[in-house]
Amino acid sequence: MAARISVEFAQSAQDDLRDMMAWYASQDVPEVGRRLAAEIIDRVRQLEGFPDSGRVVPEFDTPWLRELEHPPFRIVYRRDESVVRIVRVWRSERLMDPALGGNA
């Protein structure tokens, strides 16, 4: 069995989760934001054992930038040898900007 890979949340992804929870709180349903954040964190745990289980982000078509879907969100991550870094948690309808290039 392969060694488990470390999963980390970049500041941008932490901010995305915080913003998501704030938005649901502003809609008077803070429990929905908390539930979704917990589900997203649980969802990324699969990457510890299966770091390539997400699909390649279609806007970039680079093998190291992948995503998991957790409707209505995209969980975008960078895949390195020993670590998976969650870089964004965005609504599914939002496309990533290919101009970001290596800064994704």
Side-chain angles (χ1 to χ4, degrees), residues 31-48:
E31 66 280 357
V32 173
R34 289 190 299 268
R35 178 181 50 81
L36 283 169
E39 288 174 359
I40 288 167
I41 291 167
D42 283 343
R43 178 85 162 105
V44 302
R45 287 193 177 122
Q46 84 179 54
L47 298 173
E48 293 173 350

Side-chain angles (χ1 to χ4, degrees), residues 10-38:
Q11 187 63 52
S12 54
Q14 293 176 40
D15 293 344
D16 291 340
L17 289 174
R18 200 173 1 267
D19 292 347
M20 175 195 66
M21 290 190 302
W23 186 86
Y24 281 103
S26 77
Q27 302 300 305
D28 294 325
V29 287
E31 66 280 357
V32 173
R34 289 190 299 268
R35 178 181 50 81
L36 283 169

Side-chain angles (χ1 to χ4, degrees), residues 83-102:
V83 68
V84 165
R85 183 175 312 277
I86 310 301
V87 293
R88 300 310 310 230
V89 179
W90 278 344
R91 297 274 311 184
S92 298
E93 64 272 7
R94 184 174 178 181
L95 298 177
M96 290 189 69
D97 183 358
L100 292 174

Side-chain angles (χ1 to χ4, degrees), residues 64-65 76-80 83-87 102-104:
W64 51 264
L65 191 63
V76 181
Y77 65 96
R78 289 182 68 132
R79 163 73 158 100
D80 295 323
V83 68
V84 165
R85 183 175 312 277
I86 310 301
V87 293
N103 295 324

